[in-house]
Amino acid sequence: MRFGAESSDLDDRGRRDARTLGESLGAVPDVVLSGPEASVRQTARALGERVHVVPRLRSVDLGSWTGRLPEDIPVEALALWFSDVTSTPHGGESVAAFVARVAAWFAHHIGSPAEAPSTPPPPSTVVVVAKPVVQAVVAHLGTAGVAGYFAVDVRPASLHTVSGGIVRAGL
């Protein structure tokens, strides 16, 4: 596991998981929105023909940690990162800023519990994003909030449905 690994291409298992995920959807979605990372775009292409890359759906900016193994990071820096959601020991984006960025995009395009989206999505829209982005959505819409970001467990190639500001896990 490397920080920022979603920027790498899918491996054989990832390609199989993407095909399986596509088959589980049944019908091809009208629109597939994708984060910009390589593995995310490749997964999106396995789900539909009309893929639109959305730069704001990129994963958390891990600054100098990108591409590094957790054991290569000083323990004190990791402890700070996991205990303070406003910290940026890597020089990138804080968890709090990341969750706020992702939440703002989803509120505008998908909706929140209190309001309808300002830009309604097409009838059959699938959003393909990296695991940290799903964690941000689940933390924001769930009871834990941003403080619970690291407690959110997301399996690779899993399906989560967001409707009316509620997220439901599937697959």
Side-chain angles (χ1 to χ4, degrees), residues 127-154:
V127 180
V128 181
V129 292
K131 177 183 175 179
V133 178
V134 178
Q135 284 177 267
V137 172
V138 172
H140 174 71
L141 294 176
T143 57
V146 69
Y149 172 82
F150 289 110
V152 174
D153 184 33
V154 175

mmCIF file of all heavy atoms in Angstrom, residues 127-154:
data_model
loop_
_atom_site.group_PDB
_atom_site.id
_atom_site.type_symbol
_atom_site.label_atom_id
_atom_site.label_comp_id
_atom_site.label_asym_id
_atom_site.label_seq_id
_atom_site.Cartn_x
_atom_site.Cartn_y
_atom_site.Cartn_z
ATOM 1 N N VAL A 127 -20.944 7.667 -10.443
ATOM 2 C CA VAL A 127 -19.768 8.454 -10.114
ATOM 3 C C VAL A 127 -18.699 7.475 -9.638
ATOM 4 O O VAL A 127 -18.912 6.750 -8.668
ATOM 5 C CB VAL A 127 -20.071 9.504 -9.023
ATOM 6 C CG1 VAL A 127 -18.832 10.317 -8.693
ATOM 7 C CG2 VAL A 127 -21.227 10.404 -9.450
ATOM 8 N N VAL A 128 -17.570 7.454 -10.323
ATOM 9 C CA VAL A 128 -16.472 6.554 -9.979
ATOM 10 C C VAL A 128 -15.347 7.403 -9.394
ATOM 11 O O VAL A 128 -14.868 8.336 -10.046
ATOM 12 C CB VAL A 128 -15.960 5.788 -11.223
ATOM 13 C CG1 VAL A 128 -14.835 4.836 -10.842
ATOM 14 C CG2 VAL A 128 -17.103 5.032 -11.887
ATOM 15 N N VAL A 129 -14.971 7.077 -8.161
ATOM 16 C CA VAL A 129 -13.951 7.856 -7.459
ATOM 17 C C VAL A 129 -13.025 6.930 -6.680
ATOM 18 O O VAL A 129 -13.328 5.764 -6.462
ATOM 19 C CB VAL A 129 -14.591 8.886 -6.492
ATOM 20 C CG1 VAL A 129 -15.328 9.972 -7.253
ATOM 21 C CG2 VAL A 129 -15.522 8.199 -5.505
ATOM 22 N N ALA A 130 -11.914 7.480 -6.232
ATOM 23 C CA ALA A 130 -10.968 6.735 -5.408
ATOM 24 C C ALA A 130 -11.552 6.508 -4.010
ATOM 25 O O ALA A 130 -12.428 7.247 -3.553
ATOM 26 C CB ALA A 130 -9.647 7.501 -5.321
ATOM 27 N N LYS A 131 -11.025 5.506 -3.350
ATOM 28 C CA LYS A 131 -11.487 5.145 -2.007
ATOM 29 C C LYS A 131 -11.539 6.337 -1.049
ATOM 30 O O LYS A 131 -12.535 6.510 -0.341
ATOM 31 C CB LYS A 131 -10.600 4.033 -1.453
ATOM 32 C CG LYS A 131 -10.932 3.633 -0.041
ATOM 33 C CD LYS A 131 -9.976 2.576 0.473
ATOM 34 C CE LYS A 131 -10.260 2.291 1.930
ATOM 35 N NZ LYS A 131 -9.387 1.264 2.484
ATOM 36 N N PRO A 132 -10.520 7.212 -0.991
ATOM 37 C CA PRO A 132 -10.598 8.344 -0.057
ATOM 38 C C PRO A 132 -11.795 9.263 -0.325
ATOM 39 O O PRO A 132 -12.344 9.850 0.610
ATOM 40 C CB PRO A 132 -9.266 9.072 -0.264
ATOM 41 C CG PRO A 132 -8.334 8.015 -0.741
ATOM 42 C CD PRO A 132 -9.189 7.125 -1.619
ATOM 43 N N VAL A 133 -12.199 9.386 -1.581
ATOM 44 C CA VAL A 133 -13.349 10.235 -1.904
ATOM 45 C C VAL A 133 -14.628 9.612 -1.351
ATOM 46 O O VAL A 133 -15.474 10.308 -0.784
ATOM 47 C CB VAL A 133 -13.446 10.495 -3.427
ATOM 48 C CG1 VAL A 133 -14.663 11.341 -3.758
ATOM 49 C CG2 VAL A 133 -12.171 11.158 -3.939
ATOM 50 N N VAL A 134 -14.768 8.298 -1.487
ATOM 51 C CA VAL A 134 -15.939 7.614 -0.906
ATOM 52 C C VAL A 134 -15.920 7.773 0.607
ATOM 53 O O VAL A 134 -16.953 8.058 1.220
ATOM 54 C CB VAL A 134 -15.981 6.121 -1.306
ATOM 55 C CG1 VAL A 134 -17.174 5.427 -0.662
ATOM 56 C CG2 VAL A 134 -16.024 5.966 -2.817
ATOM 57 N N GLN A 135 -14.764 7.626 1.225
ATOM 58 C CA GLN A 135 -14.654 7.832 2.677
ATOM 59 C C GLN A 135 -15.139 9.228 3.051
ATOM 60 O O GLN A 135 -15.840 9.394 4.052
ATOM 61 C CB GLN A 135 -13.205 7.669 3.139
ATOM 62 C CG GLN A 135 -12.719 6.259 3.212
ATOM 63 C CD GLN A 135 -11.258 6.214 3.606
ATOM 64 O OE1 GLN A 135 -10.388 6.176 2.745
ATOM 65 N NE2 GLN A 135 -10.996 6.225 4.902
ATOM 66 N N ALA A 136 -14.767 10.222 2.259
ATOM 67 C CA ALA A 136 -15.174 11.599 2.552
ATOM 68 C C ALA A 136 -16.685 11.756 2.468
ATOM 69 O O ALA A 136 -17.302 12.390 3.332
ATOM 70 C CB ALA A 136 -14.491 12.569 1.579
ATOM 71 N N VAL A 137 -17.310 11.164 1.456
ATOM 72 C CA VAL A 137 -18.768 11.253 1.300
ATOM 73 C C VAL A 137 -19.466 10.555 2.466
ATOM 74 O O VAL A 137 -20.390 11.105 3.071
ATOM 75 C CB VAL A 137 -19.228 10.644 -0.045
ATOM 76 C CG1 VAL A 137 -20.743 10.549 -0.124
ATOM 77 C CG2 VAL A 137 -18.676 11.457 -1.211
ATOM 78 N N VAL A 138 -19.025 9.352 2.782
ATOM 79 C CA VAL A 138 -19.655 8.587 3.864
ATOM 80 C C VAL A 138 -19.464 9.304 5.202
ATOM 81 O O VAL A 138 -20.406 9.411 5.996
ATOM 82 C CB VAL A 138 -19.109 7.143 3.915
ATOM 83 C CG1 VAL A 138 -19.621 6.404 5.148
ATOM 84 C CG2 VAL A 138 -19.486 6.387 2.643
ATOM 85 N N ALA A 139 -18.277 9.822 5.458
ATOM 86 C CA ALA A 139 -18.030 10.549 6.714
ATOM 87 C C ALA A 139 -18.914 11.787 6.794
ATOM 88 O O ALA A 139 -19.526 12.061 7.826
ATOM 89 C CB ALA A 139 -16.561 10.939 6.840
ATOM 90 N N HIS A 140 -18.987 12.526 5.692
ATOM 91 C CA HIS A 140 -19.773 13.764 5.682
ATOM 92 C C HIS A 140 -21.266 13.488 5.862
ATOM 93 O O HIS A 140 -21.935 14.180 6.632
ATOM 94 C CB HIS A 140 -19.539 14.519 4.376
ATOM 95 C CG HIS A 140 -20.413 15.721 4.228
ATOM 96 N ND1 HIS A 140 -20.237 16.867 4.981
ATOM 97 C CD2 HIS A 140 -21.489 15.947 3.436
ATOM 98 C CE1 HIS A 140 -21.170 17.748 4.655
ATOM 99 N NE2 HIS A 140 -21.934 17.217 3.717
ATOM 100 N N LEU A 141 -21.785 12.513 5.145
ATOM 101 C CA LEU A 141 -23.224 12.239 5.207
ATOM 102 C C LEU A 141 -23.606 11.353 6.383
ATOM 103 O O LEU A 141 -24.771 11.297 6.759
ATOM 104 C CB LEU A 141 -23.698 11.590 3.904
ATOM 105 C CG LEU A 141 -23.620 12.475 2.658
ATOM 106 C CD1 LEU A 141 -24.034 11.690 1.425
ATOM 107 C CD2 LEU A 141 -24.462 13.731 2.816
ATOM 108 N N GLY A 142 -22.638 10.657 6.961
ATOM 109 C CA GLY A 142 -22.914 9.783 8.093
ATOM 110 C C GLY A 142 -22.915 10.533 9.403
ATOM 111 O O GLY A 142 -22.786 11.752 9.461
ATOM 112 N N THR A 143 -23.023 9.803 10.470
ATOM 113 C CA THR A 143 -23.101 10.415 11.797
ATOM 114 C C THR A 143 -21.737 10.828 12.335
ATOM 115 O O THR A 143 -21.654 11.675 13.219
ATOM 116 C CB THR A 143 -23.751 9.442 12.797
ATOM 117 O OG1 THR A 143 -22.983 8.231 12.815
ATOM 118 C CG2 THR A 143 -25.188 9.147 12.423
ATOM 119 N N ALA A 144 -20.660 10.265 11.811
ATOM 120 C CA ALA A 144 -19.326 10.537 12.351
ATOM 121 C C ALA A 144 -18.793 11.910 11.957
ATOM 122 O O ALA A 144 -18.015 12.503 12.692
ATOM 123 C CB ALA A 144 -18.352 9.462 11.896
ATOM 124 N N GLY A 145 -19.190 12.420 10.798
ATOM 125 C CA GLY A 145 -18.651 13.693 10.320
ATOM 126 C C GLY A 145 -17.181 13.563 9.977
ATOM 127 O O GLY A 145 -16.624 12.471 9.952
ATOM 128 N N VAL A 146 -16.542 14.699 9.725
ATOM 129 C CA VAL A 146 -15.150 14.694 9.297
ATOM 130 C C VAL A 146 -14.238 14.027 10.319
ATOM 131 O O VAL A 146 -13.255 13.382 9.962
ATOM 132 C CB VAL A 146 -14.671 16.124 8.942
ATOM 133 C CG1 VAL A 146 -14.566 16.995 10.172
ATOM 134 C CG2 VAL A 146 -13.343 16.080 8.203
ATOM 135 N N ALA A 147 -14.548 14.127 11.602
ATOM 136 C CA ALA A 147 -13.722 13.507 12.641
ATOM 137 C C ALA A 147 -13.696 11.986 12.505
ATOM 138 O O ALA A 147 -12.744 11.336 12.942
ATOM 139 C CB ALA A 147 -14.218 13.900 14.024
ATOM 140 N N GLY A 148 -14.720 11.418 11.889
ATOM 141 C CA GLY A 148 -14.790 9.971 11.715
ATOM 142 C C GLY A 148 -14.277 9.474 10.382
ATOM 143 O O GLY A 148 -14.444 8.304 10.046
ATOM 144 N N TYR A 149 -13.615 10.338 9.632
ATOM 145 C CA TYR A 149 -13.134 9.983 8.291
ATOM 146 C C TYR A 149 -12.321 8.689 8.289
ATOM 147 O O TYR A 149 -12.559 7.801 7.485
ATOM 148 C CB TYR A 149 -12.304 11.136 7.712
ATOM 149 C CG TYR A 149 -11.608 10.793 6.424
ATOM 150 C CD1 TYR A 149 -12.292 10.854 5.215
ATOM 151 C CD2 TYR A 149 -10.274 10.398 6.407
ATOM 152 C CE1 TYR A 149 -11.661 10.534 4.025
ATOM 153 C CE2 TYR A 149 -9.638 10.080 5.223
ATOM 154 C CZ TYR A 149 -10.327 10.144 4.043
ATOM 155 O OH TYR A 149 -9.709 9.820 2.866
ATOM 156 N N PHE A 150 -11.358 8.574 9.179
ATOM 157 C CA PHE A 150 -10.480 7.404 9.172
ATOM 158 C C PHE A 150 -11.160 6.134 9.667
ATOM 159 O O PHE A 150 -10.652 5.041 9.459
ATOM 160 C CB PHE A 150 -9.207 7.679 9.985
ATOM 161 C CG PHE A 150 -8.290 8.659 9.308
ATOM 162 C CD1 PHE A 150 -8.114 9.927 9.838
ATOM 163 C CD2 PHE A 150 -7.629 8.325 8.145
ATOM 164 C CE1 PHE A 150 -7.272 10.838 9.220
ATOM 165 C CE2 PHE A 150 -6.794 9.231 7.504
ATOM 166 C CZ PHE A 150 -6.612 10.496 8.049
ATOM 167 N N ALA A 151 -12.323 6.258 10.297
ATOM 168 C CA ALA A 151 -13.063 5.083 10.749
ATOM 169 C C ALA A 151 -13.941 4.490 9.653
ATOM 170 O O ALA A 151 -14.468 3.393 9.803
ATOM 171 C CB ALA A 151 -13.930 5.441 11.961
ATOM 172 N N VAL A 152 -14.105 5.203 8.547
ATOM 173 C CA VAL A 152 -14.943 4.725 7.445
ATOM 174 C C VAL A 152 -14.172 3.668 6.662
ATOM 175 O O VAL A 152 -13.067 3.911 6.187
ATOM 176 C CB VAL A 152 -15.351 5.890 6.504
ATOM 177 C CG1 VAL A 152 -16.087 5.366 5.291
ATOM 178 C CG2 VAL A 152 -16.193 6.906 7.257
ATOM 179 N N ASP A 153 -14.771 2.486 6.544
ATOM 180 C CA ASP A 153 -14.148 1.384 5.817
ATOM 181 C C ASP A 153 -14.826 1.244 4.455
ATOM 182 O O ASP A 153 -16.047 1.076 4.382
ATOM 183 C CB ASP A 153 -14.279 0.085 6.620
ATOM 184 C CG ASP A 153 -13.562 -1.069 5.968
ATOM 185 O OD1 ASP A 153 -12.509 -0.845 5.328
ATOM 186 O OD2 ASP A 153 -14.046 -2.216 6.072
ATOM 187 N N VAL A 154 -14.052 1.320 3.399
ATOM 188 C CA VAL A 154 -14.574 1.196 2.037
ATOM 189 C C VAL A 154 -13.789 0.102 1.335
ATOM 190 O O VAL A 154 -12.559 0.165 1.273
ATOM 191 C CB VAL A 154 -14.425 2.530 1.267
ATOM 192 C CG1 VAL A 154 -14.864 2.368 -0.175
ATOM 193 C CG2 VAL A 154 -15.208 3.634 1.954
#
